[in-house]
Amino acid sequence: MGILICFDIRFPEAFRIMKRMGAQFVAIPTAIESDCILSADCLPQARAYEQQMYVACINHCGQEKPNCSIFCGHSGLYDPLGVQKVKAGEEECLLTGNINPSGYAKETNLKLDICEEIRPDIYKNYIDK
């Protein structure tokens, strides 16, 4: 299991590192504001799909104080094919879901572990620039 925080959702590399370290599930608490709702809906799904891992995005919702940011909610759990297993709306709630890390490849019919096909040797000269 891996844990990232908020803005890390925008960086697939962080999820890839977790995957290469053996994580099959990443939880990421976030504070995505209502004007960025697309980030809450699309990025966790993309990270789950591209890394073939479970991703739980736990997003803040509502407004803490008047004249402060409004957070969109939309927490969710995604499987290794990017399928959303559970989803919250914009209100506070308790979500539960089941995952099967030891059998996720079989469960989701993964024929190819895409992360095994990554070729960092091809782009390593560009990473540190």
Side-chain angles (χ1 to χ4, degrees), residues 16-85:
R16 180 159 299 148
I17 289 166
M18 293 282 182
K19 172 78 174 195
R20 291 181 70 99
M21 292 176 70
Q24 294 175 326
F25 172 79
V26 170
I28 181 160
T30 56
I32 300 171
E33 297 177 6
S34 292
D35 60 348
C36 297
I37 199 165
L38 193 59
S39 294
D41 289 339
C42 295
L43 293 178
Q45 179 182 34
R47 300 302 165 250
Y49 180 73
E50 69 198 4
Q51 304 306 327
Q52 294 177 328
M53 62 178 11
Y54 291 95
V55 173
C57 182
I58 306 97
N59 196 38
H60 193 49
C61 65
Q63 187 175 29
E64 292 180 4
K65 302 180 208 171
N67 301 320
C68 288
S69 298
I70 300 172
F71 302 96
C72 68
H74 288 235
S75 297
L77 173 64
Y78 301 83
D79 77 9
L81 290 178
V83 175
Q84 191 170 51
K85 298 303 217 176

Side-chain angles (χ1 to χ4, degrees), residues 1-20:
M1 178 181 167
I3 298 176
L4 297 170
I5 58 167
C6 204
F7 201 62
D8 294 338
I9 193 79
R10 297 189 173 274
F11 304 102
E13 297 86 356
F15 289 82
R16 180 159 299 148
I17 289 166
M18 293 282 182
K19 172 78 174 195
R20 291 181 70 99

